[in-house]
Amino acid sequence: SGPTISGSGRGQQPIALKTMATTRASYNSAAWFINGILRFKNSSIVTPYIGIGAGGEYITIHGDATTNIPGFPHVTGVNGSDVDFAGQALAGLDFAIADHYSIFTEYKFIDAIGTDAKTANVGGSGLDYRFKPDQIQQHLIVAGLKYGF
C-alpha cells in the first residue's frame, strides 16, 4: 500500500497533514440523543429549561488535498464517514401560545468523541486518508413549534 495521509481539524478549515498535504474539507453530521430535561414551571407563559443528553452522531467528510508527493499534486475524493459517541447540553425557553402549543428557542452544544473517518485509495492515487480530530464540537441555536399532550 502507498503512503498514508493523516491529520486533524474541524469542518471547513484547512487541515495540515504531516507535511505531506494540505486538505480543505467540510463535514456533515446527523445526531440522535436521549435527553434528560429539567423544566422550571412557573405562572408566566415562559418556561425555561436545561438538559443533557447522550447518543450518537454520524459524520461524513468531503474534500480534496494538495500534496507535495511527486505525481500527486492535487488529490480529489477525500471522503469518509464514521459513527461516534456524542453528548449534548442544552438550554431553552418555551413560550406558551395556546393549550398544548408553544414556541421554543434553545441553544445546544454537541460534542462528538472518537471520530476516525478513513478513505482508502483516495482518487485512485493509492493513498489512504484518515480524518481523526480530537473531537468535533457544534454550537446550535434552534427554534420551532411544540405540541405537548
Side-chain angles (χ1 to χ4, degrees), residues 20-40:
M20 295 174 61
T22 300
T23 190
R24 186 166 244 349
S26 62
Y27 68 88
N28 298 312
S29 66
W32 56 95
F33 296 97
I34 295 175
N35 295 314
I37 296 177
L38 177 60
R39 297 185 185 282
F40 301 100

Side-chain angles (χ1 to χ4, degrees), residues 51-68:
I52 59 172
E57 188 164 18
Y58 174 71
I59 296 169
T60 60
I61 181 169
H62 312 282
D64 58 338
T66 302
T67 76
N68 60 3

Side-chain angles (χ1 to χ4, degrees), residues 127-143:
L127 301 173
D128 296 334
Y129 174 81
R130 184 174 186 193
F131 178 71
K132 188 171 177 19
D134 295 331
Q135 57 196 150
I136 293 179
Q137 299 176 338
Q138 299 173 30
H139 300 272
L140 306 173
I141 296 177
V142 181

Side-chain angles (χ1 to χ4, degrees), residues 1-6 20 69-70 72 75 119-122 124-130:
S1 161
T4 298
I5 300 173
S6 62
M20 295 174 61
I69 301 169
F72 300 103
V75 180
T119 303
N121 194 22
V122 175
S125 66
L127 301 173
D128 296 334
Y129 174 81
R130 184 174 186 193

